[in-house]
Amino acid sequence: MRDSGLQKIGYDYVNIDDFWYQCPGPQGPNVDSYGRWVTDPSRFPPQGNTDGIEVVADYIHGLGMKFGIYVTPGISKQAVRRKTPIEGTDYTVDQIAAPSHAEENYNCKGMVSIDYSKPGAQEYTDSWVNRFAKWGVDYIKIDGIEDYNGPDIEAWENAIRQSGRPIVLDATEGDFTQALAPTLMKYADQWEFAPDIECDRCARQHPEAGYILTTWTNIAKRFDLVAEWQPYAGSGRWNDYDSIEVGNGRHDGLNADERQTQLSLWALASAPLILGVDLTHLDKQDLQYLKNTAVLAVDQDSIAAKRVVNTRDQQVFVKTETSGEAIVGLFNTGENAETVSVQASAVGLPESERGYSTQDLWTGKREKTDRDISAVVPPHGAVLYRVKTL
């Protein structure tokens, strides 16, 4: 990643996902003396007394980057059965557990809920974050979140605050709805509420490619989600529409137009750009997409776009920059090339006798238009314009 130039333009975090901890079976993850997951040394070997995750974090920090880790809510059944103490307290984890209520842990299972009305519950979560802070963690993804997990999100944010280390908190999808949005906006830094964009069965469905990471169908489902969740983004807290599957060429599962569509939609939403690809085999063309600073500037402007056109085959999303310029995304979700058009007044631009200047952020081409913002868009494609009044 350092050699690809991605870090220089803002791709700063390296995050590990599930499978970093020991999972012996459905009884839950193995735990340490304080009831917290134990690092799998076969995957992340320790160095002396330094935990293997801390070894990785130190290496990533040495590259000038930041490090993220994965957890799910609750307590392992193993910790409950062993009645492990809660670090720094006289309580044990069985005293704060709700053993009859299972938490979502997709791959290991064996997690039960925490009753945050019980003394020691916040301290237990504090101990997790304090250990992560010692390891050098900069980003925590807490997965498997449901509507009822509001107390967990609050507890993790409180734990981060007391640790004294700046850590991003990302709450990701179990099956939560907009009912959880007020809690997310108050305590989390970002949240991902949609089913995974990756396609688990794609390798079997497309053997000619060896494997593919996603499909156009999965991308197309995001248009409605971007529109529906737009009101909840802002003030440094963001909607996360899942990973960007651009980087592995034909293995992305998307053609070139579809890749630009995904990046354009995420940029309009100011969504976190999390690359879900193999960084050691970056496709050259995909790398140019990922390094397009004009598109990245749209993503990083901290403004979430609104949808102003929604028809069977056409979508238009717009946002207004602090400069007064409009960012306009023209999308064709159909199977044939179409002219996608929107009036300048509909994207928030004032009337102008001199017309408007458009810059295509993918090609760099500039043109003048009198009234309509328009382009011929290929099937499943996008045209992303920066528009200003002349």
Side-chain angles (χ1 to χ4, degrees):
M1 185 166 184
R2 178 176 54 177
D3 294 336
S4 74
L6 289 172
Q7 182 187 357
K8 296 178 181 178
I9 51 177
Y11 295 91
D12 292 334
Y13 289 82
V14 176
N15 300 337
I16 61 172
D17 211 68
D18 208 352
F19 302 108
W20 64 267
Y21 52 92
Q22 294 179 354
C23 175
Q27 65 268 43
N30 282 345
V31 295
D32 66 9
S33 58
Y34 294 118
R36 305 163 302 197
W37 297 352
V38 175
T39 301
D40 184 345
S42 67
R43 289 178 168 148
F44 300 96
Q47 290 184 0
N49 293 325
T50 303
D51 188 274
I53 294 296
E54 185 175 356
V55 172
V56 174
D58 287 345
Y59 174 77
I60 290 171
H61 290 152
L63 298 177
M65 304 188 73
K66 298 179 181 179
F67 173 71
I69 202 165
Y70 173 101
V71 297
T72 59
I75 306 170
S76 171
K77 290 180 180 178
Q78 290 206 61
V80 177
R81 177 179 55 82
R82 288 167 48 186
K83 300 182 179 181
T84 58
I86 296 171
E87 187 176 32
T89 77
D90 294 327
Y91 304 109
T92 55
V93 295
D94 58 298
Q95 294 174 310
I96 66 170
S100 63
H101 192 275
E103 288 287 356
E104 185 68 82
N105 182 293
Y106 298 106
N107 298 301
C108 190
K109 314 298 183 184
M111 298 288 290
V112 298
S113 294
I114 296 172
D115 183 347
Y116 281 100
S117 69
K118 299 291 182 64
Q122 181 63 58
E123 289 82 356
Y124 175 69
T125 304
D126 290 350
S127 76
W128 270 87
V129 174
N130 290 339
R131 184 178 65 156
F132 284 161
K134 175 183 178 299
W135 287 352
V137 169
D138 305 293
Y139 178 112
I140 296 172
K141 171 182 175 179
I142 180 166
D143 200 11
I145 294 296
E146 310 274 351
D147 280 347
Y148 63 78
N149 285 119
D152 292 279
I153 297 168
E154 181 179 358
W156 278 86
E157 172 60 16
N158 289 337
I160 289 170
R161 192 178 304 113
Q162 65 82 41
S163 76
R165 184 176 181 84
I167 299 175
V168 171
L169 181 61
D170 181 12
T172 68
E173 182 265 344
D175 189 22
F176 66 79
T177 69
Q178 291 178 9
L180 192 60
T183 298
L184 295 167
M185 295 171 70
K186 186 174 182 179
Y187 298 112
D189 295 294
Q190 61 192 65
W191 44 87
E192 190 258 304
F193 39 79
D196 287 348
I197 205 163
E198 294 88 356
C199 178
D200 293 336
R201 297 185 178 91
C202 286
R204 294 194 298 273
Q205 294 171 346
H206 299 272
E208 74 283 356
Y211 70 90
I212 63 173
L213 296 171
T214 193
T215 64
W216 166 250
T217 299
N218 286 1
I219 301 298
K221 291 176 181 177
R222 261 47 182 191
F223 287 100
D224 285 346
L225 292 173
V226 170
E228 291 165 5
W229 282 79
Q230 183 271 339
Y232 306 110
S235 302
R237 302 177 187 272
W238 299 106
N239 296 317
D240 174 357
Y241 296 102
D242 208 3
S243 55
I244 292 290
E245 302 302 343
V246 176
N248 282 7
R250 66 189 182 95
H251 297 301
D252 295 332
L254 306 171
N255 65 34
D257 292 327
E258 292 165 349
R259 296 171 209 174
Q260 289 188 354
T261 289
Q262 189 189 14
L263 280 167
S264 297
L265 185 61
W266 267 237
L268 282 158
S270 282
L273 299 183
I274 303 170
L275 306 185
V277 298
D278 184 350
L279 294 177
T280 66
H281 293 88
L282 280 173
D283 177 83
K284 290 183 179 180
Q285 183 59 62
D286 283 4
L287 181 57
Q288 295 310 307
Y289 296 157
L290 295 171
K291 292 169 65 175
N292 184 317
T293 54
V295 175
L296 294 179
V298 172
D299 180 77
Q300 295 295 299
D301 66 13
S302 299
I303 302 166
K306 296 181 179 179
R307 182 165 63 185
V308 297
V309 173
N310 176 26
T311 68
R312 178 180 176 182
D313 293 335
Q314 298 187 5
Q315 303 271 325
V316 177
F317 285 80
V318 303
K319 58 180 169 180
T320 303
E321 305 282 65
T322 55
S323 64
E325 296 176 328
I327 305 298
V328 181
L330 307 174
F331 297 94
N332 175 9
T333 59
E335 302 303 318
N336 300 291
E338 293 193 19
T339 298
V340 182
S341 181
V342 64
Q343 291 186 347
S345 59
V347 304
L349 292 170
E351 290 187 11
S352 173
E353 293 182 358
R354 298 178 59 194
Y356 308 90
S357 171
T358 64
Q359 179 188 11
D360 187 321
L361 300 185
W362 285 111
T363 67
K365 185 178 180 180
R366 296 178 185 269
E367 294 183 330
K368 179 180 178 297
T369 180
D370 292 330
R371 186 182 64 177
D372 292 345
I373 313 302
S374 180
V376 177
V377 185
H380 301 180
V383 172
L384 187 62
Y385 280 143
R386 181 178 291 273
V387 187
K388 64 180 179 179
T389 305
L390 294 176

